[in-house]
Amino acid sequence: QSVLTQPPSVSGAPGQRVTISCTGSSSNVGAGYDVHWYQQLPGAAPKLLIYANSNRPSGVPDRFSGSKSGTSASLAITGLQAEDEADYYCQSYDSSLSGSNVFGTGTKVTVL
Amino acid sequence: EVQLVESGGGLVKPGGSLRLSCAASGFTFSSAWMTWVRQAPGKGLEWVGRIKSKFDGGTTDYAAPVKGRFTISTDDSKTTLYLQMNSLKTEDTAVYYCTTPLAYSGTYTPDPFYLWGQGTLVTVSS
């Protein structure tokens, strides 16, 4: 099991706002390491959605936003759209792990 | 075109070996830090291991479940990344992706993974 915990699923109606948490500890998120977020559509490779806690790569809609506080990070999707239905993963660094890179447990977003 | 293309997946028996390849194009492969990530069927993403560029020492790091069994290497002349997998277990069954930060490399801890391949499926079963 990952050291970064995410809710298994979140859902919302089109147009609504949903948030996904990524809860870590003092050896990863709380130690000040960056958190990145990925979107994985069904049958596709992951796509970088947010990097360094709150930055969007070029081409990512501003409906997606990220934040970090203490030992947790969050991804928010505002104005939810049907095409946002996907799995979302956070990623960070944990100095206590072999290799140190770690992904969150993943969250399935369902658009009702 | 900037891309990564994995190959080499397939069905292998427990205890067997397999070598995956990841052909890179469109960027300076010799300067890139390359990573393997896997995803078991219906499960989440799992970081497998990483190799630094030769300029940065060419060293490797591995996740605990694969350390001592998997080996990552590169051939800069062929712009190709490899994952040699030995002593395979049923729990190694997964889609294996290669990935790299590209322009996002070196500024953040950890590096974010910007460019991904399409993945190749490895099935370990008797």
Side-chain angles (χ1 to χ4, degrees), chain B residues 26-43:
Chain B
F27 64 97
T28 306
F29 181 79
S30 59
S31 302
W33 291 23
M34 300 298 298
T35 292
W36 287 98
V37 172
R38 69 183 180 182
Q39 186 170 36
K43 302 298 184 182

Side-chain angles (χ1 to χ4, degrees), chain B residues 35-118:
Chain B
T35 292
W36 287 98
V37 172
R38 69 183 180 182
Q39 186 170 36
K43 302 298 184 182
L45 301 174
E46 181 184 18
W47 185 88
V48 172
R50 178 203 63 202
I51 186 167
K52 296 181 181 180
S53 66
K54 287 186 173 55
F55 178 83
D56 291 312
T59 55
T60 52
D61 291 289
Y62 300 94
V66 308
K67 205 168 189 178
R69 299 189 298 123
F70 289 12
T71 302
I72 298 174
S73 62
T74 56
D75 184 334
D76 289 349
S77 68
K78 296 181 179 179
T79 64
T80 300
L81 169 74
Y82 300 101
L83 179 64
Q84 177 66 45
M85 303 183 293
N86 299 330
S87 303
L88 281 162
K89 306 175 181 180
T90 55
E91 52 262 43
D92 295 319
T93 293
V95 173
Y96 285 74
Y97 297 99
C98 58
T99 181
T100 187
L102 280 188
Y104 296 91
S105 179
T107 306
Y108 311 104
T109 303
D111 283 337
F113 301 127
Y114 181 76
L115 180 64
W116 294 73
Q118 84 288 352

